Amino acid sequence: MTPFEQRVLERVRFLYGDDEAEVIVERICDLVRRYASLTKEKPDCLWTEQDAFLITYGDSILHEGERPLVMLQKFLSEYCCDLFTTIHILPFFPFSSDDGFSVIDYREVNPEFGTWDDVRAINNDFDLMIDLVINHASRESVWFMDFVNDQPPGRDFFIEQDKGTDVSMVVRPRNTPLLVPVHTRRGVRHVWATFSEDQIDLNFNNPSMLLEFIDIFLSYVAVGARFLRLDAIAYLWKSLGTSCIHLPQTHEVVKLMRDVLERVAPEVVLITETNVPVEENISYFGMGDEAHMVYQFGLPPMVLHALYRGNAAYLTSWAQQIPPLPPGCTYLNFTASHDGIGVRPVENLLPANEVEEMIDTVRRYGGFVTMKTNTDGTESPYEMNVSLFDALMGSRRGPDEWQIPRFICSQIIMLSMRGIPAVYIHSLTATPNDLANVERTGRMRSINRTRWQLKDLETRLANSNTPNAEVFDTLSRLLQIRKQQPAFHPDAGQTVKSLNKALFIIKRVSLDREQIIYALCNVSAVNVELAVSNLLDEGEQVVADLMGDSSLNEAQDTLKMLPYQCVWLHVSHPHGSVDDAV
C-alpha cells in the first residue's frame, strides 16, 4: 500500500469505520487513476505578489441577445487583464434559488449563462476559482427527485429526521426551520435544510456522497479550476446531540480532499469558506494539511467599524493578533463579496454597543440585516446586506463628501495586508445598493448582486466624472502598482504598528528582505500629521511614496495625510536588508 493509500485508508476508517473502508479507498484510487492525466509537478510557490482575484457572478455583465459568460469574458479581456490573475466565477451551474448556490446539476453550465467553452475562454486569460457547493443541493436536482421517488442513488443522499427531533443544539446561520417537510412516495418526510427549504443538506454519512463529490471537484480541475472553494463547509457533517458545525469528520473530509489534490493536481489550491470567529475560521488550516487558504472574514466588519468611527484602534489590535500561518497557507483578503458583511467574525472583538451602532448605520445607508437563530431560541444578527460603496457614503455621524476616498481607503487596507486580495466586481465598479433587485427577488442579499448592462457600465467607466470611473481607475492604478512590489508577496513579513488611533499602519518586508513598504491609511475625516522618525525603525529612510501623492515637508520628517488618504512608503535600509518583520 502506498503512503497515499495509507493516509486515505486512515481517513476513511475515521469517517466510516472498518467494514467497507478498503472498498471505499479502492473507489477513491479509481477516481485518482481516472484523472491521472491532470497531474503536474508541484510548483515551487502557489502564489506571488502578482496575484489578485476578482469575484463575480457569471451573469454580472449582460447584453441583450448575448450569453452572459461571453459578455463577462469581453469585459474581463478589455478592462481587467492587467489587474487580476484569477477570476472567481460564482456558481454558474443550473440552479433554482440563491443566485446559484442551490445547484440543480453540478456538472453542467447553466444554459442561460453559456457553455463550458465560454468558461474555458475566460480560463485562457485568467486562472479560475470554482465553487464546490458541497453542503446542500437544490430540491429540483435529480438527486432530490430520486429521494422523493425512493430511487437510488438520491434516496440515500439526504438526511431524514422525525418531525419532533430535538435539534436545538444545532448552530444555524439562518432563522428558518431546520427540518423541512417534503411529500414523497413514502409519505411526508422531514429533511435537513441548514440554509433554506430549497437547499437540502447532503448526507455525507453515506460514503457514496463523498465519492460523488470527489469526482465532481476533479472534473472542475479537468476544465481548468486552479482554485476550489468549499462553500459552507463548516456545516458538512451532521450528528445529533452536537452543534453540527466544525465537527471532526468535517475536518477529515477536507484533509481527504487535500490528499487527493496533492496526488492528482498539486498546483490546485483548496479554499474553505467559513463565516465564523477567527479561531474557528483558521481551524481549517489544520496542521497545514487542510485548506491552503481561508477567507479573512474578520477584515470586512473590522474595516467598516474603523471607517465609521474614524478610529483604527480595534482594527489595529485585531490585525496585530492574527495568528501565525502554517507553512504553505495564506489568507484570502476581501472587504465585500456576493454575501453580506459578517457579524459573527467580530464576536468578542468589538464592544456590543459599537456593533449595534455599525448595524444601525448600515440600515441608515439603505442596507439590511440577516438574522440567525441561536441554540437558546433567540435571534441575533448574522450579516449586514449592503453595497460596500453605499455603506461608506458616510461615517456613523451621517453622510458626507468623503464617500469615494473613504471607499478607496477600505480597498487599500485590503491590498496592503498579508495574503491575497480579492476584489468584488461591485467594488471595482462602485455599484450602489440595488433595492430594485431586492424587490424583484425578495432576498436581502440581492442588494449587492447587481447585473450590469455592458453598454451602461462602459458609458459610466468612460465618463471620468462618475464615481464608477473614479473608483475603477484608482483601483486599477493601485493594483498595477501593487503587483510590482515583492513586499506584497502573500507570504512576506507583516508588522502592524500603533502610533495614532486615526491611522492603520502595516509594515511589509519582502521574502528576500530587500524591500520594505509601510502602508498608512487615515481612517478618519480629519487631517493627520505623523513624525516619520516615529514611524521608521532604526536606520530606515523613506525613498518614495509608491502612490506618488503624499506630502512630506522639506526635512522629510512630517507626513501630512488628508482625510482617508493612504500611502505606500517605499523605505530603504542602510544594510540593504531587514530582519525584524514576522
mmCIF file of all heavy atoms in Angstrom, residues 296 298-299 301-307 310-323 346 349-350 413 417 494-507 519-523 535:
data_model
loop_
_atom_site.group_PDB
_atom_site.id
_atom_site.type_symbol
_atom_site.label_atom_id
_atom_site.label_comp_id
_atom_site.label_asym_id
_atom_site.label_seq_id
_atom_site.Cartn_x
_atom_site.Cartn_y
_atom_site.Cartn_z
ATOM 1 N N GLN A 296 -10.361 35.812 5.075
ATOM 2 C CA GLN A 296 -10.116 36.667 6.241
ATOM 3 C C GLN A 296 -11.442 37.336 6.607
ATOM 4 O O GLN A 296 -11.695 38.514 6.328
ATOM 5 C CB GLN A 296 -9.066 37.716 5.887
ATOM 6 C CG GLN A 296 -8.554 38.542 7.039
ATOM 7 C CD GLN A 296 -7.400 37.892 7.778
ATOM 8 O OE1 GLN A 296 -7.622 37.128 8.717
ATOM 9 N NE2 GLN A 296 -6.180 38.181 7.371
ATOM 10 N N GLY A 298 -12.774 38.357 9.305
ATOM 11 C CA GLY A 298 -12.810 39.480 10.233
ATOM 12 C C GLY A 298 -12.548 40.820 9.573
ATOM 13 O O GLY A 298 -12.934 41.868 10.103
ATOM 14 N N LEU A 299 -11.909 40.809 8.402
ATOM 15 C CA LEU A 299 -11.488 42.063 7.777
ATOM 16 C C LEU A 299 -12.647 42.978 7.386
ATOM 17 O O LEU A 299 -12.618 44.179 7.725
ATOM 18 C CB LEU A 299 -10.599 41.759 6.565
ATOM 19 C CG LEU A 299 -9.973 42.966 5.865
ATOM 20 C CD1 LEU A 299 -9.070 43.750 6.807
ATOM 21 C CD2 LEU A 299 -9.182 42.515 4.624
ATOM 22 N N PRO A 301 -15.885 43.495 8.496
ATOM 23 C CA PRO A 301 -16.529 44.262 9.576
ATOM 24 C C PRO A 301 -15.557 45.120 10.369
ATOM 25 O O PRO A 301 -15.931 46.196 10.838
ATOM 26 C CB PRO A 301 -17.172 43.179 10.453
ATOM 27 C CG PRO A 301 -16.392 41.947 10.172
ATOM 28 C CD PRO A 301 -15.983 42.040 8.741
ATOM 29 N N MET A 302 -14.302 44.674 10.518
ATOM 30 C CA MET A 302 -13.341 45.486 11.264
ATOM 31 C C MET A 302 -12.995 46.770 10.503
ATOM 32 O O MET A 302 -12.863 47.844 11.107
ATOM 33 C CB MET A 302 -12.073 44.681 11.548
ATOM 34 C CG MET A 302 -12.262 43.493 12.487
ATOM 35 S SD MET A 302 -12.929 43.916 14.116
ATOM 36 C CE MET A 302 -11.599 44.897 14.793
ATOM 37 N N VAL A 303 -12.866 46.675 9.177
ATOM 38 C CA VAL A 303 -12.593 47.869 8.371
ATOM 39 C C VAL A 303 -13.793 48.805 8.405
ATOM 40 O O VAL A 303 -13.641 50.031 8.557
ATOM 41 C CB VAL A 303 -12.242 47.463 6.922
ATOM 42 C CG1 VAL A 303 -12.250 48.680 5.998
ATOM 43 C CG2 VAL A 303 -10.879 46.785 6.879
ATOM 44 N N LEU A 304 -14.997 48.256 8.262
ATOM 45 C CA LEU A 304 -16.198 49.092 8.299
ATOM 46 C C LEU A 304 -16.308 49.819 9.638
ATOM 47 O O LEU A 304 -16.611 51.029 9.680
ATOM 48 C CB LEU A 304 -17.429 48.215 8.067
ATOM 49 C CG LEU A 304 -18.759 48.948 7.880
ATOM 50 C CD1 LEU A 304 -18.744 49.781 6.608
ATOM 51 C CD2 LEU A 304 -19.923 47.943 7.842
ATOM 52 N N HIS A 305 -16.054 49.110 10.713
ATOM 53 C CA HIS A 305 -16.105 49.722 12.043
ATOM 54 C C HIS A 305 -15.105 50.864 12.160
ATOM 55 O O HIS A 305 -15.432 51.951 12.655
ATOM 56 C CB HIS A 305 -15.825 48.656 13.109
ATOM 57 C CG HIS A 305 -15.678 49.196 14.495
ATOM 58 N ND1 HIS A 305 -14.455 49.552 15.031
ATOM 59 C CD2 HIS A 305 -16.602 49.455 15.466
ATOM 60 C CE1 HIS A 305 -14.630 49.993 16.259
ATOM 61 N NE2 HIS A 305 -15.915 49.945 16.545
ATOM 62 N N ALA A 306 -13.874 50.645 11.704
ATOM 63 C CA ALA A 306 -12.837 51.683 11.797
ATOM 64 C C ALA A 306 -13.222 52.926 11.006
ATOM 65 O O ALA A 306 -13.054 54.064 11.471
ATOM 66 C CB ALA A 306 -11.504 51.132 11.297
ATOM 67 N N LEU A 307 -13.769 52.741 9.817
ATOM 68 C CA LEU A 307 -14.112 53.876 8.968
ATOM 69 C C LEU A 307 -15.367 54.588 9.467
ATOM 70 O O LEU A 307 -15.522 55.797 9.256
ATOM 71 C CB LEU A 307 -14.299 53.407 7.525
ATOM 72 C CG LEU A 307 -13.000 52.962 6.832
ATOM 73 C CD1 LEU A 307 -13.299 52.219 5.539
ATOM 74 C CD2 LEU A 307 -12.097 54.162 6.568
ATOM 75 N N GLY A 310 -13.862 56.464 12.615
ATOM 76 C CA GLY A 310 -12.662 57.270 12.444
ATOM 77 C C GLY A 310 -11.575 56.881 13.408
ATOM 78 O O GLY A 310 -10.739 57.706 13.801
ATOM 79 N N ASN A 311 -11.552 55.609 13.771
ATOM 80 C CA ASN A 311 -10.637 55.135 14.805
ATOM 81 C C ASN A 311 -10.168 53.729 14.416
ATOM 82 O O ASN A 311 -10.973 52.805 14.286
ATOM 83 C CB ASN A 311 -11.357 55.105 16.155
ATOM 84 C CG ASN A 311 -10.440 54.764 17.307
ATOM 85 O OD1 ASN A 311 -9.393 54.135 17.131
ATOM 86 N ND2 ASN A 311 -10.832 55.165 18.499
ATOM 87 N N ALA A 312 -8.859 53.580 14.243
ATOM 88 C CA ALA A 312 -8.294 52.300 13.810
ATOM 89 C C ALA A 312 -7.826 51.433 14.971
ATOM 90 O O ALA A 312 -7.227 50.381 14.743
ATOM 91 C CB ALA A 312 -7.121 52.552 12.862
ATOM 92 N N ALA A 313 -8.115 51.819 16.203
ATOM 93 C CA ALA A 313 -7.547 51.111 17.356
ATOM 94 C C ALA A 313 -7.951 49.636 17.377
ATOM 95 O O ALA A 313 -7.107 48.754 17.583
ATOM 96 C CB ALA A 313 -7.969 51.800 18.649
ATOM 97 N N TYR A 314 -9.234 49.341 17.187
ATOM 98 C CA TYR A 314 -9.679 47.947 17.231
ATOM 99 C C TYR A 314 -9.176 47.176 16.011
ATOM 100 O O TYR A 314 -8.791 46.004 16.124
ATOM 101 C CB TYR A 314 -11.201 47.866 17.305
ATOM 102 C CG TYR A 314 -11.754 48.162 18.669
ATOM 103 C CD1 TYR A 314 -12.335 49.401 18.967
ATOM 104 C CD2 TYR A 314 -11.691 47.222 19.697
ATOM 105 C CE1 TYR A 314 -12.849 49.674 20.224
ATOM 106 C CE2 TYR A 314 -12.196 47.490 20.962
ATOM 107 C CZ TYR A 314 -12.775 48.709 21.213
ATOM 108 O OH TYR A 314 -13.268 48.988 22.463
ATOM 109 N N LEU A 315 -9.174 47.816 14.848
ATOM 110 C CA LEU A 315 -8.644 47.188 13.641
ATOM 111 C C LEU A 315 -7.171 46.846 13.832
ATOM 112 O O LEU A 315 -6.713 45.746 13.485
ATOM 113 C CB LEU A 315 -8.834 48.115 12.447
ATOM 114 C CG LEU A 315 -8.228 47.683 11.115
ATOM 115 C CD1 LEU A 315 -8.864 46.390 10.617
ATOM 116 C CD2 LEU A 315 -8.381 48.797 10.069
ATOM 117 N N THR A 316 -6.430 47.779 14.401
ATOM 118 C CA THR A 316 -5.008 47.560 14.647
ATOM 119 C C THR A 316 -4.781 46.410 15.624
ATOM 120 O O THR A 316 -3.957 45.521 15.387
ATOM 121 C CB THR A 316 -4.363 48.849 15.199
ATOM 122 O OG1 THR A 316 -4.438 49.877 14.204
ATOM 123 C CG2 THR A 316 -2.907 48.624 15.583
ATOM 124 N N SER A 317 -5.527 46.407 16.713
ATOM 125 C CA SER A 317 -5.382 45.351 17.718
ATOM 126 C C SER A 317 -5.709 43.987 17.123
ATOM 127 O O SER A 317 -4.999 42.993 17.360
ATOM 128 C CB SER A 317 -6.289 45.640 18.909
ATOM 129 O OG SER A 317 -6.231 44.595 19.857
ATOM 130 N N TRP A 318 -6.783 43.939 16.334
ATOM 131 C CA TRP A 318 -7.154 42.678 15.683
ATOM 132 C C TRP A 318 -6.055 42.207 14.744
ATOM 133 O O TRP A 318 -5.664 41.031 14.762
ATOM 134 C CB TRP A 318 -8.467 42.878 14.921
ATOM 135 C CG TRP A 318 -8.788 41.775 13.952
ATOM 136 C CD1 TRP A 318 -9.315 40.548 14.246
ATOM 137 C CD2 TRP A 318 -8.587 41.804 12.537
ATOM 138 N NE1 TRP A 318 -9.448 39.812 13.089
ATOM 139 C CE2 TRP A 318 -9.014 40.562 12.034
ATOM 140 C CE3 TRP A 318 -8.086 42.762 11.639
ATOM 141 C CZ2 TRP A 318 -8.961 40.243 10.674
ATOM 142 C CZ3 TRP A 318 -8.035 42.457 10.285
ATOM 143 C CH2 TRP A 318 -8.468 41.211 9.826
ATOM 144 N N ALA A 319 -5.541 43.113 13.910
ATOM 145 C CA ALA A 319 -4.514 42.737 12.934
ATOM 146 C C ALA A 319 -3.222 42.307 13.615
ATOM 147 O O ALA A 319 -2.506 41.427 13.114
ATOM 148 C CB ALA A 319 -4.255 43.901 11.973
ATOM 149 N N GLN A 320 -2.910 42.925 14.757
ATOM 150 C CA GLN A 320 -1.703 42.541 15.489
ATOM 151 C C GLN A 320 -1.799 41.128 16.045
ATOM 152 O O GLN A 320 -0.783 40.473 16.287
ATOM 153 C CB GLN A 320 -1.449 43.527 16.630
ATOM 154 C CG GLN A 320 -0.957 44.882 16.170
ATOM 155 C CD GLN A 320 -0.880 45.897 17.309
ATOM 156 O OE1 GLN A 320 -1.616 45.805 18.294
ATOM 157 N NE2 GLN A 320 0.018 46.864 17.171
ATOM 158 N N GLN A 321 -3.035 40.649 16.245
ATOM 159 C CA GLN A 321 -3.229 39.338 16.869
ATOM 160 C C GLN A 321 -3.619 38.242 15.879
ATOM 161 O O GLN A 321 -3.977 37.133 16.297
ATOM 162 C CB GLN A 321 -4.301 39.451 17.953
ATOM 163 C CG GLN A 321 -3.909 40.400 19.083
ATOM 164 C CD GLN A 321 -5.030 40.592 20.092
ATOM 165 O OE1 GLN A 321 -5.494 39.637 20.700
ATOM 166 N NE2 GLN A 321 -5.469 41.826 20.254
ATOM 167 N N ILE A 322 -3.540 38.539 14.580
ATOM 168 C CA ILE A 322 -3.816 37.492 13.597
ATOM 169 C C ILE A 322 -2.811 36.368 13.812
ATOM 170 O O ILE A 322 -1.601 36.598 13.810
ATOM 171 C CB ILE A 322 -3.718 38.047 12.166
ATOM 172 C CG1 ILE A 322 -4.846 39.051 11.901
ATOM 173 C CG2 ILE A 322 -3.780 36.912 11.144
ATOM 174 C CD1 ILE A 322 -4.747 39.747 10.562
ATOM 175 N N PRO A 323 -3.278 35.154 14.022
ATOM 176 C CA PRO A 323 -2.359 34.057 14.350
ATOM 177 C C PRO A 323 -1.386 33.772 13.210
ATOM 178 O O PRO A 323 -1.692 33.993 12.031
ATOM 179 C CB PRO A 323 -3.299 32.862 14.581
ATOM 180 C CG PRO A 323 -4.634 33.474 14.871
ATOM 181 C CD PRO A 323 -4.684 34.726 14.061
ATOM 182 N N VAL A 346 -16.734 39.254 14.395
ATOM 183 C CA VAL A 346 -16.274 40.253 15.361
ATOM 184 C C VAL A 346 -16.780 39.965 16.773
ATOM 185 O O VAL A 346 -16.653 40.809 17.660
ATOM 186 C CB VAL A 346 -16.670 41.694 14.939
ATOM 187 C CG1 VAL A 346 -15.993 42.052 13.632
ATOM 188 C CG2 VAL A 346 -18.184 41.853 14.823
ATOM 189 N N LEU A 349 -14.641 40.880 19.765
ATOM 190 C CA LEU A 349 -13.591 41.782 19.279
ATOM 191 C C LEU A 349 -13.993 43.244 19.398
ATOM 192 O O LEU A 349 -13.127 44.111 19.574
ATOM 193 C CB LEU A 349 -13.256 41.470 17.818
ATOM 194 C CG LEU A 349 -12.608 40.116 17.523
ATOM 195 C CD1 LEU A 349 -12.418 39.949 16.013
ATOM 196 C CD2 LEU A 349 -11.264 39.979 18.233
ATOM 197 N N LEU A 350 -15.289 43.523 19.289
ATOM 198 C CA LEU A 350 -15.790 44.896 19.350
ATOM 199 C C LEU A 350 -16.823 45.005 20.460
ATOM 200 O O LEU A 350 -17.544 44.044 20.739
ATOM 201 C CB LEU A 350 -16.437 45.285 18.019
ATOM 202 C CG LEU A 350 -15.544 45.315 16.772
ATOM 203 C CD1 LEU A 350 -16.393 45.574 15.525
ATOM 204 C CD2 LEU A 350 -14.468 46.378 16.915
ATOM 205 N N ILE A 413 -6.540 49.203 2.458
ATOM 206 C CA ILE A 413 -6.270 48.378 3.638
ATOM 207 C C ILE A 413 -6.200 46.912 3.234
ATOM 208 O O ILE A 413 -5.270 46.185 3.612
ATOM 209 C CB ILE A 413 -7.357 48.600 4.716
ATOM 210 C CG1 ILE A 413 -7.244 50.018 5.299
ATOM 211 C CG2 ILE A 413 -7.233 47.554 5.831
ATOM 212 C CD1 ILE A 413 -8.384 50.390 6.229
ATOM 213 N N MET A 417 -2.569 44.139 3.198
ATOM 214 C CA MET A 417 -2.403 43.108 4.216
ATOM 215 C C MET A 417 -1.806 41.824 3.658
ATOM 216 O O MET A 417 -1.922 41.504 2.481
ATOM 217 C CB MET A 417 -3.752 42.812 4.880
ATOM 218 C CG MET A 417 -4.260 43.964 5.727
ATOM 219 S SD MET A 417 -5.633 43.492 6.789
ATOM 220 C CE MET A 417 -4.843 42.342 7.904
ATOM 221 N N GLN A 494 4.870 40.794 7.932
ATOM 222 C CA GLN A 494 3.922 41.850 8.274
ATOM 223 C C GLN A 494 4.051 42.214 9.741
ATOM 224 O O GLN A 494 4.033 41.349 10.608
ATOM 225 C CB GLN A 494 2.493 41.379 7.976
ATOM 226 C CG GLN A 494 1.399 42.356 8.438
ATOM 227 C CD GLN A 494 0.032 41.942 7.970
ATOM 228 O OE1 GLN A 494 -0.248 41.948 6.769
ATOM 229 N NE2 GLN A 494 -0.848 41.575 8.892
ATOM 230 N N THR A 495 4.178 43.504 9.997
ATOM 231 C CA THR A 495 4.136 44.043 11.354
ATOM 232 C C THR A 495 3.116 45.169 11.381
ATOM 233 O O THR A 495 3.119 46.037 10.499
ATOM 234 C CB THR A 495 5.515 44.600 11.782
ATOM 235 O OG1 THR A 495 6.494 43.566 11.671
ATOM 236 C CG2 THR A 495 5.474 45.099 13.214
ATOM 237 N N VAL A 496 2.229 45.156 12.351
ATOM 238 C CA VAL A 496 1.203 46.190 12.478
ATOM 239 C C VAL A 496 1.584 47.115 13.619
ATOM 240 O O VAL A 496 1.851 46.659 14.737
ATOM 241 C CB VAL A 496 -0.185 45.565 12.730
ATOM 242 C CG1 VAL A 496 -1.258 46.648 12.826
ATOM 243 C CG2 VAL A 496 -0.526 44.578 11.619
ATOM 244 N N LYS A 497 1.623 48.425 13.330
ATOM 245 C CA LYS A 497 2.086 49.403 14.318
ATOM 246 C C LYS A 497 0.925 50.250 14.835
ATOM 247 O O LYS A 497 -0.023 50.550 14.101
ATOM 248 C CB LYS A 497 3.161 50.305 13.712
ATOM 249 C CG LYS A 497 4.431 49.558 13.318
ATOM 250 C CD LYS A 497 5.601 50.508 13.125
ATOM 251 C CE LYS A 497 6.898 49.740 12.943
ATOM 252 N NZ LYS A 497 8.088 50.626 13.030
ATOM 253 N N SER A 498 1.033 50.655 16.062
ATOM 254 C CA SER A 498 0.035 51.516 16.700
ATOM 255 C C SER A 498 0.699 52.815 17.131
ATOM 256 O O SER A 498 1.402 52.862 18.134
ATOM 257 C CB SER A 498 -0.563 50.798 17.921
ATOM 258 O OG SER A 498 -1.508 51.619 18.562
ATOM 259 N N LEU A 499 0.484 53.879 16.328
ATOM 260 C CA LEU A 499 1.108 55.171 16.600
ATOM 261 C C LEU A 499 0.090 56.296 16.710
ATOM 262 O O LEU A 499 0.359 57.311 17.343
ATOM 263 C CB LEU A 499 2.120 55.516 15.491
ATOM 264 C CG LEU A 499 3.308 54.567 15.327
ATOM 265 C CD1 LEU A 499 4.143 54.981 14.130
ATOM 266 C CD2 LEU A 499 4.160 54.537 16.588
ATOM 267 N N ASN A 500 -1.051 56.135 16.074
ATOM 268 C CA ASN A 500 -2.068 57.175 16.057
ATOM 269 C C ASN A 500 -3.401 56.480 15.802
ATOM 270 O O ASN A 500 -3.516 55.703 14.855
ATOM 271 C CB ASN A 500 -1.764 58.206 14.953
ATOM 272 C CG ASN A 500 -2.714 59.380 14.948
ATOM 273 O OD1 ASN A 500 -3.923 59.209 14.974
ATOM 274 N ND2 ASN A 500 -2.159 60.586 14.891
ATOM 275 N N LYS A 501 -4.399 56.740 16.641
ATOM 276 C CA LYS A 501 -5.659 55.996 16.519
ATOM 277 C C LYS A 501 -6.363 56.233 15.189
ATOM 278 O O LYS A 501 -7.204 55.428 14.774
ATOM 279 C CB LYS A 501 -6.590 56.352 17.671
ATOM 280 C CG LYS A 501 -7.118 57.778 17.644
ATOM 281 C CD LYS A 501 -8.056 58.025 18.813
ATOM 282 C CE LYS A 501 -8.667 59.430 18.758
ATOM 283 N NZ LYS A 501 -9.585 59.668 19.891
ATOM 284 N N ALA A 502 -6.014 57.313 14.487
ATOM 285 C CA ALA A 502 -6.634 57.584 13.185
ATOM 286 C C ALA A 502 -5.950 56.829 12.052
ATOM 287 O O ALA A 502 -6.467 56.806 10.938
ATOM 288 C CB ALA A 502 -6.624 59.076 12.883
ATOM 289 N N LEU A 503 -4.811 56.217 12.338
ATOM 290 C CA LEU A 503 -4.023 55.583 11.288
ATOM 291 C C LEU A 503 -3.949 54.071 11.472
ATOM 292 O O LEU A 503 -3.704 53.579 12.578
ATOM 293 C CB LEU A 503 -2.600 56.138 11.273
ATOM 294 C CG LEU A 503 -2.428 57.621 10.971
ATOM 295 C CD1 LEU A 503 -0.961 58.002 11.025
ATOM 296 C CD2 LEU A 503 -3.025 57.971 9.607
ATOM 297 N N PHE A 504 -4.175 53.344 10.377
ATOM 298 C CA PHE A 504 -3.893 51.918 10.337
ATOM 299 C C PHE A 504 -2.574 51.769 9.606
ATOM 300 O O PHE A 504 -2.429 52.208 8.459
ATOM 301 C CB PHE A 504 -5.005 51.170 9.616
ATOM 302 C CG PHE A 504 -4.789 49.684 9.563
ATOM 303 C CD1 PHE A 504 -4.725 48.942 10.730
ATOM 304 C CD2 PHE A 504 -4.647 49.032 8.343
ATOM 305 C CE1 PHE A 504 -4.517 47.560 10.691
ATOM 306 C CE2 PHE A 504 -4.454 47.663 8.291
ATOM 307 C CZ PHE A 504 -4.379 46.928 9.473
ATOM 308 N N ILE A 505 -1.582 51.161 10.262
ATOM 309 C CA ILE A 505 -0.209 51.139 9.751
ATOM 310 C C ILE A 505 0.304 49.699 9.687
ATOM 311 O O ILE A 505 0.293 48.976 10.690
ATOM 312 C CB ILE A 505 0.730 51.973 10.651
ATOM 313 C CG1 ILE A 505 0.215 53.405 10.786
ATOM 314 C CG2 ILE A 505 2.152 51.956 10.104
ATOM 315 C CD1 ILE A 505 0.963 54.233 11.813
ATOM 316 N N ILE A 506 0.743 49.300 8.514
ATOM 317 C CA ILE A 506 1.324 47.974 8.315
ATOM 318 C C ILE A 506 2.709 48.129 7.695
ATOM 319 O O ILE A 506 2.899 48.883 6.737
ATOM 320 C CB ILE A 506 0.476 47.113 7.364
ATOM 321 C CG1 ILE A 506 -0.918 46.862 7.937
ATOM 322 C CG2 ILE A 506 1.149 45.775 7.081
ATOM 323 C CD1 ILE A 506 -1.810 46.064 7.010
ATOM 324 N N LYS A 507 3.648 47.389 8.235
ATOM 325 C CA LYS A 507 4.981 47.287 7.632
ATOM 326 C C LYS A 507 5.099 45.926 6.964
ATOM 327 O O LYS A 507 4.871 44.900 7.588
ATOM 328 C CB LYS A 507 6.067 47.435 8.696
ATOM 329 C CG LYS A 507 7.491 47.299 8.149
ATOM 330 C CD LYS A 507 8.524 47.423 9.272
ATOM 331 C CE LYS A 507 9.937 47.286 8.739
ATOM 332 N NZ LYS A 507 10.955 47.398 9.820
ATOM 333 N N ALA A 519 2.549 50.772 4.755
ATOM 334 C CA ALA A 519 1.222 51.180 4.290
ATOM 335 C C ALA A 519 0.548 51.932 5.430
ATOM 336 O O ALA A 519 0.392 51.397 6.526
ATOM 337 C CB ALA A 519 0.397 49.969 3.895
ATOM 338 N N LEU A 520 0.168 53.179 5.174
ATOM 339 C CA LEU A 520 -0.515 54.001 6.170
ATOM 340 C C LEU A 520 -1.859 54.437 5.610
ATOM 341 O O LEU A 520 -1.937 54.957 4.489
ATOM 342 C CB LEU A 520 0.306 55.247 6.533
ATOM 343 C CG LEU A 520 1.631 55.020 7.278
ATOM 344 C CD1 LEU A 520 2.768 54.779 6.296
ATOM 345 C CD2 LEU A 520 1.963 56.236 8.154
ATOM 346 N N CYS A 521 -2.913 54.231 6.390
ATOM 347 C CA CYS A 521 -4.260 54.587 5.958
ATOM 348 C C CYS A 521 -4.925 55.438 7.033
ATOM 349 O O CYS A 521 -5.072 54.993 8.183
ATOM 350 C CB CYS A 521 -5.089 53.333 5.711
ATOM 351 S SG CYS A 521 -4.426 52.247 4.425
ATOM 352 N N ASN A 522 -5.310 56.646 6.662
ATOM 353 C CA ASN A 522 -6.044 57.526 7.566
ATOM 354 C C ASN A 522 -7.520 57.146 7.497
ATOM 355 O O ASN A 522 -8.177 57.360 6.487
ATOM 356 C CB ASN A 522 -5.841 58.986 7.154
ATOM 357 C CG ASN A 522 -6.581 59.959 8.064
ATOM 358 O OD1 ASN A 522 -7.193 59.563 9.052
ATOM 359 N ND2 ASN A 522 -6.506 61.242 7.731
ATOM 360 N N VAL A 523 -8.054 56.554 8.562
ATOM 361 C CA VAL A 523 -9.443 56.090 8.554
ATOM 362 C C VAL A 523 -10.405 57.165 9.050
ATOM 363 O O VAL A 523 -11.593 56.895 9.240
ATOM 364 C CB VAL A 523 -9.596 54.810 9.413
ATOM 365 C CG1 VAL A 523 -8.684 53.710 8.902
ATOM 366 C CG2 VAL A 523 -9.345 55.086 10.892
ATOM 367 N N LEU A 535 7.800 56.661 12.952
ATOM 368 C CA LEU A 535 7.274 55.528 12.200
ATOM 369 C C LEU A 535 8.359 54.508 11.885
ATOM 370 O O LEU A 535 8.156 53.304 12.061
ATOM 371 C CB LEU A 535 6.653 56.031 10.893
ATOM 372 C CG LEU A 535 6.256 54.981 9.853
ATOM 373 C CD1 LEU A 535 5.062 54.172 10.348
ATOM 374 C CD2 LEU A 535 5.939 55.660 8.516
#
